[in-house]
Amino acid sequence: MADRLYLDHNATSPLRPQVREAMLAAMDAPRNASSVHAEGRAAKRLVEDARAKLAEILSAPRESVVFTAGGTEADNTGVLGMVGGGPKVRRLFVSAIEHEAVSVAAEHAGVPVEIVPVTPQGALDLSWLGERLSSYDAETDGPFLLCVMLANNETGVIQPVAEAARLARRAGGYVLCDAVQALFKLPVDFSTLGADLLTVSAHKAGGPVGVGALVVTPGLAFEPLLRGGGQEEYRRAGTHNVAAIAGLGALCDVASLDDYARLEALRDEIEAGLPPEATVWGRGAPRLANTLCLSAPGFRSETQVMAMDLSRVAASAGSACSSGKVRPSPVLRAMGASEAEAGSALRISMGWDTADDAPARFLAAWNKEYERIARRAA
Ligand code: PLP
């Protein structure tokens, strides 16, 4: 993959070398962290070491961290587990821009789902939420769960989670915050965010695919998604994926917020090099430094992704292409984009290994293809 420019870190970020080393070391011997012998105890130490490091980064108690096989499992467990057990919530409020790991799980939860709109800038509409919850009667309507992510995977727009959580709590609700795209890119403080449940995943910042965590307020019960053994204090059955968890632990050692802060200048450089008719979604709103979502008239998402790929640039049309088919981004539609605008979006996401010449390389490729395919046709 020499000479290629990888700008799809929000899909999966390349594995960091230190993480790979830690995983290889953990894979050296087959170990089960639930075994009582010395090998098992050594594996358990790796798991508990990773738990302590992740808990520290999140300012959460250790016992709050439940390891899962990634963000999707953590989101599903949070949503379905709060309906099926614990407070048995009777209604879900889901932001219009949630990842499918939350929104599709909500559709299958068997309780009414209300979509919370976002502003044209792509942030949760707090006035709508405040108004709706002012007439919510938890006594008769039962407890509810509000699902709002910390940073959007397509636009990077940072959501007002603490404010939303205050409104939800006042009305007798619980809050699930999907922080999958925020971890290691923003400070994520479970102790002050106001969420009852928080979800993270390792592979968006250079950790392994297939490991994440659900972080739960101590004492808050929920119905486990996976049943079987007593791992994770009976909250997630299944033999621990020790190597992946050790990789997440190593990621906690090496990932730093500075890796991402430096990307803001690169993102701004790309924005400045786009033609004036291009739209940058969420521009002006607080956003992740690594993410840029643009639309250009007449340059369809799938055409852009293919043209960039042929120009040796990996970018994506957003999470909506997870099935392999590109459809107009529901996130952009929720922000008020027309079908044509939402169908001509490209997401660029940078990461820990993005070099300083990335903007120049991207702009040279993109502007050439835009000129050739879209502008000439207009
Ligand atoms: N939540 C968000 C915001 C995401 O961006 C993703 C991945 O794209 C997920 C959840 C799912 O995480 P995972 O790929 O670890 O299952």
Side-chain angles (χ1 to χ4, degrees), residues 69-89:
T72 300
E73 186 194 314
D75 283 332
N76 271 251
T77 307
V79 172
L80 302 173
M82 289 290 278
V83 173
K88 288 200 188 289
V89 301

Side-chain angles (χ1 to χ4, degrees), residues 311-358:
S311 309
R312 312 188 70 75
V313 177
S316 93
S319 75
C321 67
S322 55
S323 60
K325 290 191 204 108
V326 179
R327 62 189 166 94
S329 156
V331 169
L332 301 186
R333 292 289 279 150
M335 291 167 69
S338 68
E339 182 113 4
E341 286 173 318
S344 61
L346 185 74
R347 177 185 72 181
I348 298 151
S349 52
M350 299 176 279
W352 63 273
D353 68 346
T354 304
D356 288 350
D357 65 354

Side-chain angles (χ1 to χ4, degrees), residues 10 70-73 75 99 101 149 151 153 178 180-181 201 203-204:
N10 286 9
T72 300
E73 186 194 314
D75 283 332
H99 189 273
M149 60 189 356
N153 42 301
D178 174 333
V180 165
Q181 290 291 350
S201 181
H203 73 106
K204 307 294 186 181

Side-chain angles (χ1 to χ4, degrees), residues 9-10 149-159 178-188 204 257 259-268 271 280-293 347-350:
H9 285 251
N10 286 9
M149 60 189 356
L150 191 47
N152 183 262
N153 42 301
E154 290 183 44
T155 62
V157 173
I158 298 164
Q159 302 299 311
D178 174 333
V180 165
Q181 290 291 350
L183 182 65
F184 301 116
K185 302 176 190 167
L186 288 179
V188 182
K204 307 294 186 181
L257 294 176
D259 296 343
Y260 291 89
R262 82 178 170 91
L263 299 175
E264 191 165 345
L266 305 191
R267 185 197 66 195
D268 292 349
E271 284 186 15
V280 173
W281 298 100
R283 187 181 235 161
R287 270 180 301 158
L288 293 176
N290 78 316
T291 308
L292 192 165
C293 183
R347 177 185 72 181
I348 298 151
S349 52
M350 299 176 279

Side-chain angles (χ1 to χ4, degrees), residues 4-42:
R4 284 190 59 93
L5 178 59
Y6 187 78
L7 297 177
D8 204 11
H9 285 251
N10 286 9
T12 291
S13 193
L15 199 66
R16 299 189 193 231
Q18 303 93 328
V19 172
R20 187 169 182 276
E21 262 170 47
M23 292 179 73
L24 288 174
M27 275 192 272
D28 255 358
R31 292 154 157 186
N32 187 320
S34 303
S35 304
V36 293
H37 45 60
E39 289 83 351
R41 293 199 304 278

